[in-house]
Amino acid sequence: IGINLPSLHSVLKRAKNDEKVILETKENKKLGIIFEGENISILDYKTDSLLKYSSLEKLELYRPQLTFYALLISKLYANIKQISCSLIFIEDPKEVPTFKVDLKQLREFEHELNGIVSSIRKGEFKTKNSHCKSCYFSDSDNQCVVKH
């Protein structure tokens, strides 16, 4: 996401309980992190339109990205028990879809992620058509333009 990881680590390590940290990338993308004892909240600010998808549908599309952020945060803080992940859409900031992830779910995600990385390194790619509706490369019927 265009953030210098050593400086990110430094900023997050200095964060105190009940503190909110807003990270901003060079592309003006924002990610908020709220520290509350053994719980952390991740707030990902989005400029997406909500015309084609509801905020809950968008949450499912962004679930892997938010879970990845949660995994990274869990690696920095050993005392974290649960992480809440939310999207805030600039178009409708009152609608804040959220899910919670615990350490067991993060370990399962990490295992799945390692499998994906391993497959990519081996040149094994699987087609995933579940997101064709949101893909820029889908046709007018929301079907993949790549023939398999």
Side-chain angles (χ1 to χ4, degrees):
I1 59 176
I3 296 173
N4 178 317
L5 288 180
S7 5
L8 171 62
H9 184 264
S10 173
V11 167
L12 293 178
K13 279 297 187 187
R14 288 192 314 265
K16 297 175 182 66
N17 196 23
D18 296 325
E19 186 170 56
K20 182 176 184 178
V21 175
I22 300 288
L23 304 171
E24 187 169 346
T25 68
K26 293 174 187 172
E27 301 85 22
N28 291 323
K29 296 182 180 183
K30 291 181 174 50
L31 181 70
I33 303 170
I34 301 172
F35 298 85
E36 303 168 295
E38 296 178 337
N39 299 309
I40 287 184
S41 297
I42 296 174
L43 311 168
D44 195 358
Y45 296 82
K46 298 293 186 188
T47 57
D48 299 30
S49 169
L50 295 173
L51 294 176
K52 198 171 185 179
Y53 287 102
S54 72
S55 61
L56 288 174
E57 289 173 311
K58 288 281 190 172
L59 181 65
E60 289 310 309
L61 291 171
Y62 284 112
R63 184 178 289 269
Q65 178 183 350
L66 289 166
T67 305
F68 182 70
Y69 294 163
L71 177 64
L72 293 177
I73 294 294
S74 74
K75 298 286 187 184
L76 293 175
Y77 296 94
N79 66 326
I80 296 303
K81 301 283 187 246
Q82 188 174 64
I83 299 177
S84 174
C85 300
S86 303
L87 294 177
I88 298 177
F89 292 95
I90 303 305
E91 184 177 293
D92 185 6
K94 289 175 257 148
E95 182 76 26
V96 182
T98 302
F99 68 90
K100 294 180 190 269
V101 62
D102 60 29
L103 294 178
K104 180 178 183 274
Q105 292 167 311
L106 289 175
R107 296 306 155 252
E108 291 168 358
F109 177 79
E110 183 176 27
H111 179 74
E112 181 183 347
L113 187 61
N114 286 335
I116 291 168
V117 169
S118 176
S119 294
I120 290 170
R121 287 182 175 153
K122 294 176 189 172
E124 300 167 352
F125 301 95
K126 295 179 184 169
T127 303
K128 180 180 177 187
N129 294 330
S130 62
H131 66 279
C132 286
K133 181 178 171 185
S134 65
C135 179
Y136 292 110
F137 302 105
S138 63
D139 63 19
S140 59
D141 295 323
N142 296 323
Q143 300 297 312
C144 187
V145 297
V146 178
K147 302 300 173 213
H148 307 283

